[in-house]
Amino acid sequence: MRQQAEAHLRKQPADRDRIPAEDARRMLRELQVHKIELEMQNEELARARAEVEALLRRYTDLYDFAPVGYLTLTRDGTIHQANLAGANLLGLTRGELIDRRLGVFVSVESRPVFSAFLEKVFSSGGSKENCEVALVKDGPDALWAHLEASTEDKQECRAVVVDITERKRAGEALRRRLAELEALHSVSASLRAAQTRDETLPILLDKTLAALDTDAGIIWLYYPDGDELRAAVARGWFQQLGESPMKPGDGVAGAVFASGQMHLSAEFASDPLVRQPAAGPIPAGWGGVCLPIRTGGIAVGVLFASVPLPRQITPEQVSLLESLTEIAGAALHRMSLHEATVCQLDQLQAMHRVDQAIAASMDLRLMLGILLGHVATQLKVDAADVLLLDQNTLTLEHAAGRGFRTRAAEGARVPLGESLAGRAALERRAIRIDDPAKIQESPQFAALWAGEGFAAYHGVPLIAKGQVKGVLEVFHRTPLAAGRNWIGICETLADQAAIAIDNAQLFDDLQRSNVDLALAYDATTEGWSRALDLRDRETEGHTLRVTEMTMRLAKAMGAGADELVNIHRGALLHDIGKLGVPDGILRKPGPLTEDEWKLMCQHPQFSYDMLAPIAFLRPALDIPYCHHERWDGTGYPRGLKGEQIMPAARLFAVVDVWDALMSDRPYREAWPEEKVLEHIRSRAGTHFDPEAVELFLRVVNEDAKRAS
């Protein structure tokens, strides 16, 4: 509309005069409306301009006072623009920062990362790239920064720079802590799996050195018996030193152990506390730390860890080592308890085995051999022997030995009170010697000592029920650390040896008494048998003959040793009951009357009545009581039948009739052997057990064959 009006006004006046009034008024109104619209548009533009200016001011404030840095960088890293935060990050003003390259503020280690970052930003086509670099400020401090940038024109990029130093430090601290925890966990897990100190210490040292990224270290342990520290396990250059034991307070290890305080050394080779080892000087260029290993507040050893210069042990690493040594102390305490428990269990088992040996056998030399084996194992000595006291000569004599290289000890005869063993027995106390000068009292013992190369001796008297039985001697070819526990084990083994010797001697005495008693029993039974033969001269020799033949049959039948003893006694006493028969009946030359026969038939019962009250003869009653019983039940005194009759009595019945028929009697002459054998054969199954007859005839035939 405005354009139409302006075109109309530019026409010739003649043309203008020809415009109708109505159209002119209409166009005027339109011009007025347009003017109003223009004024409104101008007001809107003014408001928009004010808003933009306000936004620009706000943007400038945000840009300048933002908490993060904003930098505009060219392809080569030159800074064209920077906000206050970006300048402050580098310790400069914006004026000082502009036109300088950001790369000069990047640490040497981070420059490859920064270069790669710029290359990606300008070649990525607008995508955002980021990296983390270490920046070196103009001041003394350095910082870590996170860079994020993108570009569209590939000439400049806008980079956001965020200070992540605290986060980085926290992350590093967290990583260190995690590494420490991982090391602690690894050491704890490994030590829990270990069962002995020999397994524990290498694991502990290797894990500790790995956590410090070094390979040089050593662990010393304290041994109360010798009051000294001894190198237990070493790594790196410590292995070349050949460390000898040291006393608490001596050297760095001794000082740390005695004081309980750690010792940091800038360099061990120049440390005045270091004790120079005999194997050679400590290598230069190594520092480190020595810490005590404690358990229950008591130091049990020390741990060295060494690092090459210019590295130094940091406070964080010291803290880690302190934690590791606490774990080590707990593990060693657990190992000590475990080893003590195992040692006590071994000792109890050893004592039990010795007790079993004592209970299972009365062979003194066998028992002493077993005991000396346990002595060598439990006391960890090179040799041991037992000398027994002869009560008649009051001399100690060698009974058993173990671990000797020569046989010189086997001929030892030590009078009571002489030499070390004789003094131990006489004075009833243990004697310990490790001084070669004191060995010369006895030339015989001195020769043994020198020939065997011994360096330590311990002799304990063997006392049982108040009586000295002998002496237990133990020898070692190196100095012997005899602590309280060692002495206790030695005394316990000595007590067991004394009990074994006493039991064996009692058993020998009892055996001799039993043999004497058995001989007395047999002599008594043979005496009774001879007395019976003297009373009845017509049957003289009969008892010995039937006893011999019955024993042969019993052996052929497979009788045991105990059965043979009772069969022998029963055969000797088979007619002992005839002592109750009057001489008139026993020696009557003619046939017996019915009453006399009844009385004669009672002699087996008389035998039972005489022998049953005697305990040792009661098992021998089968033959005296039953040898007149018959297989068909018609015998006397009880009329037993078949297998009711004892086997020994069945055998003897055959032999008794055989010998009786083969001998002259007042009332008849002896039968020929063939007739006797035929008679016995014919009575099998009636008078005699058929199997007993068969066995008897086989033995007789074998005798006949041998005789021919």
Side-chain angles (χ1 to χ4, degrees):
M1 180 63 70
R2 180 182 176 183
Q3 291 174 350
Q4 290 176 358
E6 291 176 349
H8 180 72
L9 291 174
R10 285 194 298 268
K11 290 180 178 181
Q12 296 296 326
D15 294 335
R16 203 168 41 204
D17 293 339
R18 288 195 294 269
I19 296 174
E22 185 64 30
D23 290 342
R25 286 192 296 272
R26 178 175 57 79
M27 284 194 273
L28 181 60
R29 286 195 300 270
E30 290 176 354
L31 287 171
Q32 290 174 342
V33 170
H34 185 64
K35 179 181 179 182
I36 294 172
E37 289 178 349
L38 288 175
E39 290 176 351
M40 293 177 63
Q41 289 178 358
N42 288 334
E43 290 178 358
E44 289 177 359
L45 287 173
R47 285 196 301 272
R49 186 179 297 109
E51 290 178 358
V52 169
E53 290 175 353
L55 287 173
L56 286 173
R57 285 194 300 272
R58 289 182 60 191
Y59 174 77
T60 301
D61 291 341
L62 289 173
Y63 180 77
D64 284 341
F65 300 104
V68 297
Y70 292 102
L71 303 176
T72 301
L73 304 175
T74 62
R75 295 181 68 91
D76 62 358
T78 301
I79 303 171
H80 277 184
Q81 291 183 3
N83 67 348
L84 289 175
N88 290 336
L89 281 175
L90 298 174
L92 300 173
T93 66
R94 281 193 289 182
E96 294 172 333
L97 193 60
I98 300 303
D99 294 334
R100 295 184 67 177
R101 288 188 178 185
L102 181 59
V104 300
F105 299 100
V106 177
S107 68
V108 175
E109 294 81 7
S110 297
R111 285 178 184 174
V113 175
F114 178 68
S115 297
F117 165 73
L118 285 179
E119 180 66 26
K120 286 183 179 180
V121 168
F122 285 100
S123 62
S124 62
S127 63
K128 289 185 178 181
E129 302 293 336
N130 58 75
C131 71
E132 292 182 358
V133 295
L135 300 179
V136 181
K137 300 167 61 175
D138 281 357
D141 297 328
L143 59 88
W144 276 90
H146 177 85
L147 301 180
E148 183 176 285
S150 63
T151 183
E152 293 182 359
D153 60 9
K154 296 187 178 181
Q155 297 301 317
E156 290 185 342
C157 70
R158 292 185 180 276
V160 179
V161 186
V162 180
D163 186 351
I164 60 170
T165 304
E166 292 302 321
R167 191 190 77 186
K168 197 74 172 179
R169 289 174 180 170
E172 289 296 328
L174 179 60
R175 279 191 291 273
R176 284 196 302 270
R177 185 57 181 162
L178 288 176
E180 292 175 4
L181 292 175
E182 184 179 355
L184 293 174
H185 173 73
S186 177
V187 171
S188 298
S190 299
L191 295 186
R192 280 196 300 271
Q195 296 296 321
T196 64
R197 287 196 299 181
D198 290 341
E199 296 176 8
T200 300
L201 296 176
I203 293 173
L204 170 64
L205 185 58
D206 291 341
K207 295 287 185 181
T208 300
L209 298 180
L212 298 180
D213 191 23
T214 186
D215 62 355
I218 189 171
I219 292 176
W220 294 74
L221 290 184
Y222 177 66
Y223 290 82
D225 290 342
D227 187 30
E228 62 187 15
L229 289 159
R230 302 175 195 164
V233 59
R235 296 289 185 266
W237 56 264
F238 284 96
Q239 293 177 296
Q240 312 302 322
L241 300 182
E243 296 281 9
S244 58
M246 67 176 65
K247 294 293 183 180
D250 184 14
V252 173
V256 170
F257 177 83
S259 67
Q261 301 297 319
M262 75 168 183
H263 176 76
L264 278 168
S265 179
E267 185 181 27
F268 285 122
S270 58
D271 194 322
L273 277 181
V274 170
R275 183 191 70 171
Q276 292 298 327
I282 293 175
W286 288 83
V289 64
C290 178
L291 299 95
I293 301 175
R294 297 188 184 88
T295 174
I298 300 174
V300 296
V302 297
L303 180 146
F304 276 88
S306 182
V307 295
L309 298 179
R311 283 182 58 192
Q312 294 290 325
I313 299 293
T314 65
E316 292 81 7
Q317 291 174 328
V318 170
S319 177
L320 172 61
L321 289 173
E322 288 175 340
S323 299
L324 289 173
T325 54
E326 288 179 7
I327 294 174
L332 290 175
H333 181 61
R334 177 173 63 84
M335 293 297 106
S336 298
L337 293 177
H338 175 73
E339 290 175 1
T341 301
V342 171
C343 182
Q344 290 179 352
L345 179 60
D346 288 344
Q347 292 170 13
L348 291 174
Q349 290 177 338
M351 305 307 174
H352 177 63
R353 286 192 289 270
V354 173
D355 288 338
Q356 284 181 318
I358 293 173
S361 173
M362 289 295 108
D363 186 331
L364 181 57
R365 295 193 180 277
L366 174 62
M367 287 189 294
L368 291 179
I370 294 173
L371 183 133
L372 289 177
H374 288 294
V375 167
T377 302
Q378 296 297 320
L379 299 181
K380 295 179 175 57
V381 293
D382 293 322
D385 67 4
V386 171
L387 306 180
L388 294 183
L389 179 62
D390 186 334
Q391 297 292 345
N392 296 320
T393 63
L394 297 181
T395 301
L396 292 165
E397 299 181 359
H398 181 273
R402 179 188 178 95
F404 294 94
R405 295 171 178 170
T406 67
R407 306 191 64 173
E410 296 178 9
R413 292 179 59 85
V414 182
L416 199 63
E418 296 184 10
S419 190
L420 299 178
R423 285 172 47 202
L426 181 63
E427 299 171 13
R428 293 173 171 249
R429 67 179 181 88
I431 292 181
R432 179 185 173 192
I433 294 294
D434 54 11
D435 183 2
K438 297 181 180 180
I439 304 302
Q440 305 305 320
E441 299 176 3
S442 170
Q444 182 183 11
F445 190 79
L448 171 67
W449 182 279
E452 294 283 349
F454 292 137
Y457 168 89
H458 194 84
V460 186
L462 306 178
I463 302 174
K465 300 175 183 177
Q467 293 185 336
V468 175
K469 300 294 181 180
V471 175
L472 169 65
E473 296 183 304
V474 297
F475 304 84
H476 207 50
R477 294 185 174 91
T478 57
L480 190 61
R484 182 181 303 174
N485 185 54
W486 189 95
I487 292 174
I489 298 172
C490 185
E491 291 177 348
T492 301
L493 290 170
D495 290 340
Q496 287 188 302
I499 293 171
I501 294 168
D502 186 58
N503 287 348
Q505 290 176 345
L506 288 175
F507 182 74
D508 288 343
D509 293 342
L510 181 61
Q511 277 191 315
R512 283 194 293 270
S513 298
N514 287 338
V515 170
D516 293 343
L517 186 59
L519 292 174
Y521 287 161
D522 290 341
T524 299
T525 56
E526 291 176 4
W528 286 349
S529 176
R530 284 195 297 272
L532 186 60
D533 284 349
L534 290 173
R535 183 166 181 259
D536 185 5
R537 293 187 177 276
E538 300 299 331
T539 61
E540 185 175 1
H542 166 73
T543 300
L544 294 178
R545 292 192 300 273
V546 296
T547 298
E548 180 184 358
M549 178 58 78
T550 303
M551 291 295 290
R552 290 176 60 194
L553 293 181
K555 291 177 181 178
M557 186 179 64
D562 292 339
E563 290 180 279
L564 291 175
V565 171
N566 291 321
I567 290 172
H568 182 265
R569 290 173 179 172
L572 286 175
L573 299 176
H574 74 281
D575 275 340
I576 192 67
K578 288 183 178 180
L579 291 174
V581 179
D583 288 346
I585 298 175
L586 189 64
R587 295 182 178 182
K588 186 176 181 179
L592 299 179
T593 65
E594 184 177 351
D595 291 338
E596 290 173 341
W597 180 250
K598 287 181 180 180
L599 184 59
M600 178 62 78
C601 288
Q602 292 182 19
H603 82 270
Q605 185 64 48
F606 294 159
S607 296
Y608 179 85
D609 295 340
M610 291 174 64
L611 301 179
I614 304 173
F616 89 96
L617 291 176
R618 196 174 296 125
L621 275 173
D622 290 348
I623 292 176
Y625 194 24
C626 303
H627 70 284
H628 284 298
E629 300 286 357
R630 296 190 176 187
W631 186 254
D632 60 5
T634 59
Y636 61 88
R638 292 182 291 168
L640 299 179
K641 183 178 181 179
E643 293 185 358
Q644 293 178 334
I645 307 168
M646 298 297 103
R650 287 182 244 160
L651 288 179
F652 186 82
V654 178
V655 176
D656 190 37
V657 171
W658 166 74
D659 188 77
L661 294 178
M662 294 283 290
S663 305
D664 291 330
R665 294 296 169 87
Y667 47 86
R668 64 163 173 78
E669 293 181 351
W671 288 13
E673 184 177 8
E674 290 298 327
K675 182 179 179 181
V676 173
L677 296 178
E678 181 59 32
H679 174 77
I680 290 175
R681 191 179 293 108
S682 66
R683 296 299 180 91
T686 56
H687 189 166
F688 307 119
D689 175 5
E691 293 183 0
V693 171
E694 182 182 354
L695 178 62
F696 171 78
L697 293 175
R698 186 171 73 244
V699 171
V700 170
N701 288 334
E702 290 174 356
D703 290 345
K705 289 179 181 180
R706 281 194 295 269
S708 63

